[in-house]
Amino acid sequence: MTGLNDAPGTGPLAADLVEQYNREGFLLLPPELLSPDLLDSVSAVLARALTDRGPQVILERDNVTVRSVYGVHQNFGEIGEVIRHPDLLGPARQLVGDDVYVHQSKLNIKAPFAGDQWEWHQDYIYWLQNDGITKPDLVNVSVFVDDVTEFNGTLTFIPGSHRKGVLAGSLADGPPQGYEDAPDWVATLTAEEKFRISPEVIEGLARSNGMVSPKGPAGSVLFFNPNLLHASAPNISPFRRAVLILVYNSVNNTSVGVGTPRPDFLADPNVSAVTPASR
Ligand code: SIN
Ligand code: MN
């Protein structure tokens, strides 16, 4: 497999790819490197998850379209296996530098025409403030279930912004529009971000570092750092943009405890190391 090195002790990613991830804060691998059965399995789960309803299913502001389904590694046995797949777990362990468990998992759907934005934000502040995770020793692993293009709401990153740590921001006033009656934790999952980074900070970083939107066919895998500044635009196209996002955390970085823990589907209390499935 081009770009991969399976030497024991080093993990599957070649040193230059790890270096690229550490420098840029993200790494996109092409679909040729992912086992086709893994993608089939995620696609099959997505079809079923879309018909689910419950607190773990977040709707768009239109109150109809499914935006996200959380807790998929807990609620779907197939995803419970996907998190153990060496194609995902191997790089996750290597990039975190430790054994890992899955702190959170979700399918982000971005429905045709109706899939809404994610405002500029960093992920780690939520895991720090809401879940008591005190170090940013996590990695987002996003498996593209559909082709991701410039039209259907790709993520946009400011490369290298993760090296600034947690950026200055402020808390939004009140609940997001359209979710006034929802529990407090919903405010972290909607098109309006709860922790807002100031436009001046975003502008300064974008001017110095530029912006990148990693795109690729279904089966591509995107790794990104929890402190990387990112956003994504609404899906203006007639094509769905679904991704599976697994958030792996170091087993030595578990929650120190918070007053009101978020539901299990947002912060998994099972912190045992994920063990690799045999190939
Ligand atoms: C998206 O699915 O476009 C946003 C994901 C994220 O902000 O982590
Ligand atoms: Mn995010």
Side-chain angles (χ1 to χ4, degrees):
M1 293 202 277
T2 315
L4 291 188
N5 162 17
D6 277 321
T10 60
L13 297 172
D16 61 327
L17 296 182
V18 175
E19 198 273 326
Q20 186 183 327
Y21 175 84
N22 289 333
R23 185 181 64 247
E24 305 287 327
F26 69 95
L27 178 69
L28 179 66
L29 297 183
E32 296 75 41
L33 299 184
L34 191 72
S35 307
D37 57 321
L38 190 153
L39 185 59
D40 292 346
S41 182
V42 179
S43 296
V45 167
L46 174 61
R48 301 209 311 276
L50 282 171
T51 63
D52 270 8
R53 288 297 176 271
Q56 80 286 3
V57 179
I58 307 298
L59 300 179
E60 300 285 7
R61 289 184 273 209
D62 64 11
N63 209 25
V64 177
T65 310
V66 177
R67 174 177 175 82
S68 300
V69 182
Y70 284 81
V72 288
H73 72 291
Q74 295 145 312
N75 294 334
F76 295 91
E78 297 95 321
I79 308 295
E81 284 303 305
V82 161
I83 67 170
R84 302 177 60 216
H85 200 290
D87 290 355
L88 305 180
L89 179 60
R93 288 168 81 184
Q94 190 177 6
L95 296 174
V96 169
D98 205 350
D99 279 336
V100 291
Y101 70 97
V102 173
H103 175 63
Q104 185 183 92
S105 67
K106 57 219 168 195
L107 288 160
N108 281 354
I109 321 295
K110 284 256 176 107
F113 302 119
D116 212 342
Q117 67 186 21
W118 295 78
E119 288 183 332
W120 285 105
H121 68 281
Q122 296 172 298
D123 291 336
Y124 174 58
I125 183 76
Y126 294 104
W127 301 324
L128 171 66
Q129 297 214 350
N130 297 323
D131 302 334
I133 290 178
T134 55
K135 289 178 287 179
D137 295 348
L138 311 93
V139 63
N140 282 297
V141 181
S142 173
V143 178
F144 294 3
V145 184
D146 300 317
D147 296 349
V148 175
T149 70
E150 63 267 51
F151 310 116
N152 65 359
T154 178
L155 273 167
T156 297
F157 295 141
I158 299 192
S161 52
H162 63 299
R163 287 186 268 119
K164 301 280 183 196
V166 175
L167 297 164
S170 56
L171 275 176
D173 276 345
Q177 214 185 353
Y179 300 86
E180 286 79 3
D181 298 329
D184 281 355
W185 49 260
V186 167
T188 64
L189 313 175
T190 72
E192 282 176 48
E193 286 293 333
K194 182 174 167 192
F195 295 109
R196 300 241 164 101
I197 314 272
S198 80
E200 294 74 24
V201 170
I202 299 167
E203 181 181 349
L205 282 166
R207 283 192 188 281
S208 57
N209 296 15
M211 293 187 280
V212 175
S213 294
K215 297 175 278 286
S220 305
V221 181
L222 178 63
F223 300 87
F224 64 101
N225 185 287
N227 269 329
L228 193 67
L229 185 54
H230 61 283
S232 66
N235 184 357
I236 58 166
S237 84
F239 309 113
R240 192 185 67 186
R241 189 237 60 176
V243 297
L244 168 70
I245 301 183
L246 304 173
V247 182
Y248 289 95
N249 185 24
S250 159
V251 292
N252 290 299
N253 190 34
T254 56
S255 173
V256 294
V258 286
T260 312
R262 295 198 292 173
D264 290 2
F265 59 79
L266 293 179
D268 195 339
N270 176 6
V271 297
S272 319
V274 178
T275 52
S278 50
R279 274 182 199 268

Short mmCIF file of all heavy atoms in Angstrom, two decimals, residues 106 108 118-119 121-124 126-127 140 155 193 224 226 228 230-231 245, ligand 2:
data_model
loop_
_atom_site.label_atom_id
_atom_site.label_comp_id
_atom_site.label_asym_id
_atom_site.label_seq_id
_atom_site.Cartn_x
_atom_site.Cartn_y
_atom_site.Cartn_z
N LYS A 106 -19.98 9.57 15.35
CA LYS A 106 -21.17 10.16 14.74
C LYS A 106 -21.15 9.97 13.24
O LYS A 106 -20.08 9.86 12.63
CB LYS A 106 -21.25 11.66 15.06
CG LYS A 106 -20.03 12.46 14.62
CD LYS A 106 -19.67 13.52 15.64
CE LYS A 106 -18.32 14.13 15.40
NZ LYS A 106 -17.79 14.88 16.52
N ASN A 108 -22.29 12.28 10.26
CA ASN A 108 -22.73 13.62 9.87
C ASN A 108 -23.20 13.52 8.43
O ASN A 108 -22.42 13.15 7.55
CB ASN A 108 -21.59 14.64 9.99
CG ASN A 108 -21.37 15.09 11.42
OD1 ASN A 108 -22.14 14.73 12.31
ND2 ASN A 108 -20.34 15.87 11.65
N TRP A 118 -21.42 24.07 9.51
CA TRP A 118 -20.81 24.06 10.84
C TRP A 118 -19.97 25.33 10.88
O TRP A 118 -19.09 25.50 10.02
CB TRP A 118 -19.92 22.83 11.05
CG TRP A 118 -20.70 21.54 11.04
CD1 TRP A 118 -21.17 20.87 9.95
CD2 TRP A 118 -21.09 20.77 12.18
NE1 TRP A 118 -21.84 19.74 10.33
CE2 TRP A 118 -21.81 19.64 11.69
CE3 TRP A 118 -20.93 20.91 13.56
CZ2 TRP A 118 -22.35 18.67 12.53
CZ3 TRP A 118 -21.45 19.93 14.39
CH2 TRP A 118 -22.15 18.84 13.88
N GLU A 119 -20.22 26.21 11.84
CA GLU A 119 -19.45 27.45 11.92
C GLU A 119 -18.00 27.13 12.29
O GLU A 119 -17.69 26.05 12.80
CB GLU A 119 -20.05 28.37 12.99
CG GLU A 119 -21.38 28.98 12.57
CD GLU A 119 -21.91 29.94 13.63
OE1 GLU A 119 -21.62 29.77 14.83
OE2 GLU A 119 -22.63 30.86 13.24
N HIS A 121 -14.81 26.55 14.24
CA HIS A 121 -14.63 26.11 15.63
C HIS A 121 -13.44 25.17 15.73
O HIS A 121 -12.89 24.72 14.72
CB HIS A 121 -15.90 25.39 16.15
CG HIS A 121 -16.16 24.06 15.47
ND1 HIS A 121 -16.74 23.96 14.22
CD2 HIS A 121 -15.91 22.79 15.85
CE1 HIS A 121 -16.84 22.69 13.86
NE2 HIS A 121 -16.33 21.95 14.83
N GLN A 122 -13.08 24.89 16.96
CA GLN A 122 -12.16 23.79 17.28
C GLN A 122 -12.97 22.77 18.07
O GLN A 122 -13.86 23.14 18.84
CB GLN A 122 -11.01 24.29 18.16
CG GLN A 122 -10.10 25.32 17.50
CD GLN A 122 -9.13 25.89 18.50
OE1 GLN A 122 -9.54 26.52 19.49
NE2 GLN A 122 -7.85 25.71 18.28
N ASP A 123 -12.65 21.50 17.93
CA ASP A 123 -13.41 20.47 18.64
C ASP A 123 -12.99 20.32 20.10
O ASP A 123 -13.81 20.05 20.96
CB ASP A 123 -13.20 19.11 17.96
CG ASP A 123 -13.84 19.05 16.58
OD1 ASP A 123 -14.79 19.80 16.33
OD2 ASP A 123 -13.37 18.23 15.77
N TYR A 124 -11.69 20.48 20.35
CA TYR A 124 -11.17 20.09 21.67
C TYR A 124 -11.81 20.88 22.81
O TYR A 124 -12.07 20.30 23.88
CB TYR A 124 -9.64 20.22 21.72
CG TYR A 124 -9.10 19.97 23.11
CD1 TYR A 124 -9.36 18.75 23.75
CD2 TYR A 124 -8.40 20.94 23.80
CE1 TYR A 124 -8.91 18.52 25.04
CE2 TYR A 124 -7.95 20.72 25.08
CZ TYR A 124 -8.21 19.51 25.70
OH TYR A 124 -7.78 19.31 26.97
N TYR A 126 -14.74 21.65 23.41
CA TYR A 126 -15.97 20.97 23.88
C TYR A 126 -15.63 19.78 24.77
O TYR A 126 -16.28 19.51 25.77
CB TYR A 126 -16.82 20.51 22.69
CG TYR A 126 -17.37 21.66 21.88
CD1 TYR A 126 -16.83 22.00 20.65
CD2 TYR A 126 -18.42 22.43 22.37
CE1 TYR A 126 -17.33 23.06 19.90
CE2 TYR A 126 -18.93 23.49 21.64
CZ TYR A 126 -18.38 23.81 20.41
OH TYR A 126 -18.87 24.86 19.68
N TRP A 127 -14.59 19.04 24.35
CA TRP A 127 -14.23 17.85 25.12
C TRP A 127 -13.54 18.24 26.43
O TRP A 127 -13.67 17.55 27.44
CB TRP A 127 -13.37 16.91 24.25
CG TRP A 127 -14.14 16.51 23.02
CD1 TRP A 127 -15.50 16.28 22.97
CD2 TRP A 127 -13.65 16.33 21.69
NE1 TRP A 127 -15.85 15.96 21.68
CE2 TRP A 127 -14.76 15.98 20.88
CE3 TRP A 127 -12.39 16.41 21.11
CZ2 TRP A 127 -14.63 15.72 19.52
CZ3 TRP A 127 -12.27 16.15 19.75
CH2 TRP A 127 -13.37 15.80 18.96
N ASN A 140 -9.54 12.94 15.32
CA ASN A 140 -10.76 12.70 14.55
C ASN A 140 -10.41 11.84 13.35
O ASN A 140 -9.48 12.19 12.59
CB ASN A 140 -11.30 14.02 13.99
CG ASN A 140 -12.02 14.86 15.00
OD1 ASN A 140 -13.05 14.46 15.54
ND2 ASN A 140 -11.50 16.05 15.26
N LEU A 155 -15.36 19.92 4.56
CA LEU A 155 -14.73 20.64 5.66
C LEU A 155 -13.67 21.59 5.11
O LEU A 155 -13.00 21.26 4.12
CB LEU A 155 -14.02 19.66 6.60
CG LEU A 155 -14.84 19.02 7.71
CD1 LEU A 155 -14.06 17.86 8.32
CD2 LEU A 155 -15.16 20.04 8.78
N GLU A 193 -22.44 27.55 16.45
CA GLU A 193 -21.47 27.03 17.43
C GLU A 193 -21.65 27.70 18.79
O GLU A 193 -21.94 28.90 18.87
CB GLU A 193 -20.04 27.26 16.94
CG GLU A 193 -19.63 26.33 15.83
CD GLU A 193 -19.52 24.87 16.27
OE1 GLU A 193 -19.26 24.60 17.46
OE2 GLU A 193 -19.70 23.99 15.39
N PHE A 224 -7.89 14.37 11.49
CA PHE A 224 -7.59 15.76 11.85
C PHE A 224 -7.53 15.97 13.34
O PHE A 224 -8.19 15.30 14.13
CB PHE A 224 -8.49 16.77 11.12
CG PHE A 224 -9.97 16.73 11.42
CD1 PHE A 224 -10.55 17.64 12.29
CD2 PHE A 224 -10.80 15.82 10.77
CE1 PHE A 224 -11.91 17.65 12.54
CE2 PHE A 224 -12.18 15.81 11.00
CZ PHE A 224 -12.73 16.72 11.89
N PRO A 226 -7.76 17.66 17.03
CA PRO A 226 -8.91 18.28 17.70
C PRO A 226 -8.77 19.79 17.91
O PRO A 226 -9.77 20.46 18.18
CB PRO A 226 -8.98 17.56 19.05
CG PRO A 226 -7.63 16.99 19.27
CD PRO A 226 -7.07 16.69 17.90
N LEU A 228 -7.48 21.73 15.46
CA LEU A 228 -7.43 22.36 14.13
C LEU A 228 -8.69 23.22 13.95
O LEU A 228 -9.82 22.74 14.19
CB LEU A 228 -7.37 21.28 13.06
CG LEU A 228 -7.02 21.76 11.66
CD1 LEU A 228 -5.57 22.29 11.61
CD2 LEU A 228 -7.19 20.63 10.63
N HIS A 230 -11.65 24.71 12.08
CA HIS A 230 -12.36 24.22 10.89
C HIS A 230 -13.81 24.67 10.87
O HIS A 230 -14.36 25.11 11.88
CB HIS A 230 -12.26 22.70 10.78
CG HIS A 230 -12.86 21.94 11.93
ND1 HIS A 230 -12.24 21.80 13.15
CD2 HIS A 230 -14.03 21.28 12.05
CE1 HIS A 230 -12.98 21.08 13.95
NE2 HIS A 230 -14.09 20.76 13.32
N ALA A 231 -14.40 24.54 9.67
CA ALA A 231 -15.80 24.90 9.44
C ALA A 231 -16.25 24.09 8.23
O ALA A 231 -15.42 23.49 7.54
CB ALA A 231 -15.93 26.39 9.14
N ILE A 245 -17.52 9.94 11.65
CA ILE A 245 -16.39 10.51 12.39
C ILE A 245 -16.22 9.74 13.70
O ILE A 245 -17.15 9.66 14.51
CB ILE A 245 -16.56 12.02 12.67
CG1 ILE A 245 -16.72 12.78 11.33
CG2 ILE A 245 -15.35 12.56 13.45
CD1 ILE A 245 -16.81 14.30 11.48
MN MN B 2 -15.71 19.97 14.49
#
